[in-house]
């Protein structure tokens, strides 16, 4: 390919990338811009900038839904779910990779197959099981449910990454008298940082923004997460779009900042996990 053709194709690719980026940012524009408008102005023109930027919607939202409380609930659930998922999934994946057997291969196959099961098909059985084990109206109960739904993908990602770690490192530690437990926590687990960050980021995006599972498990108003609290502005007969936009902005802002800080690790972790050692 000649230099001029290469530059032309590169320019076209960059232009398409910019256009796609703008298209993806349009919904964020509408949410943020309309969060500063009073209800009447929002109905007149949703695409225009507000005549006067006001934080009145935000102050009202913070009081109405008790934003510090619902954000604390979301934060507790997200952090505890991530801790459990990273620990359990990494240990399970390490066992599957380093101790291959018919049973372990079957279990890994079951984990992978579970990823294709749609959540809607098990909603009713989930509520019945959660009620039987006393998991309803409990942050811990919701965290345990997230363990069950998130462990399959997490094990799959950790499994691919662990295969890229040279086994000779562990063999030398075995010669020095280290147990399997010590080898994993002292040698293998620190090497899992790239994929662990990727898993935490993906889990956080899912759990923080999830509405359906918390709506099934949490019925107590004091335990509501941000998505559940935001839904209060969408009634059967009235929809408070001005307050809803402010609530959505407040809820999305922390996870966007978290994503921007750690997003570079997604490609790094998945790419490293795709290479088999």
């Amino acid at each position: 390919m000649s230099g001029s053709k290469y530059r032309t194709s590169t320019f076209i690719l960059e232009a398409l990338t910019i256009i796609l980026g703008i298209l993806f940012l349009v919904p964020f524009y509408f949410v943020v811009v309309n969060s500063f408008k009073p209800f009447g102005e929002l109905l007149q023109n949703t695409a225009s900038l507000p005549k006067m930027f006001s934080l009145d919607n935000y102050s009202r939202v913070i009081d109405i839904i008790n934003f510090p409380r619902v954000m604390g609930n979301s934060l507790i659930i997200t952090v505890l779910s991530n801790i459990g998922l990273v620990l359990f999934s990494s240990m399970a994946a390490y066992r599957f990779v380093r101790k291959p057997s018919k049973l372990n291969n079957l279990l890994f196959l079951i984990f992978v197959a579970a990823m294709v099961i749609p959540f809607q098909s098990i909603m009713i059985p989930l509520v019945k099981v959660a009620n039987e084990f006393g998991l309803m109206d409990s942050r811990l109960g919701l965290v345990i449910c997230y363990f069950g739904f998130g462990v399959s993908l997490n094990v799959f990602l950790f499994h691919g990454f662990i295969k890229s770690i040279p086994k000779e490192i562990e063999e030398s530690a075995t010669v020095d008298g280290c147990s399997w437990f010590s080898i994993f926590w002292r040698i293998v687990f620190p090497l899992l940082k790239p994929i662990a960050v990727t898993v935490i980021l993906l889990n956080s995006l899912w759990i923080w923004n999830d509405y359906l599972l918390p709506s099934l498990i949490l019925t107590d108003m004091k335990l509501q997460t941000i998505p559940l609290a935001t839904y209060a502005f969408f009634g059967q007969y009235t929809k408070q779009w001005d307050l809803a936009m402010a609530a959505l902005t407040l809820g999305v802002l922390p996870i966007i900042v978290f994503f921007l800080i750690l997003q570079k690790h997604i490609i790094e972790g998945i790419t490293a996990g795709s290479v088999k050692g």
Side-chain angles (χ1 to χ4, degrees), residues 116-124 126 149 210 212-213 216:
V116 304
I117 300 176
F119 174 76
Q120 290 78 5
S121 65
I122 58 175
M123 284 170 48
I124 296 177
L126 171 66
F149 288 108
D210 187 28
L212 188 53
L213 186 55
L216 296 174

Side-chain angles (χ1 to χ4, degrees), residues 63-100:
D63 292 335
I64 292 173
I65 67 175
N66 196 344
F67 186 76
R69 184 183 67 194
V70 297
M71 183 174 179
N73 290 335
S74 292
L75 188 61
I76 291 172
I77 292 169
T78 303
V79 170
L80 292 181
S81 299
N82 271 311
I83 292 174
L85 284 169
V86 168
L87 294 180
F88 294 145
S89 301
S90 60
M91 289 189 290
Y94 179 71
R95 179 74 180 184
F96 292 152
V97 174
R98 294 298 188 241
K99 291 289 185 179

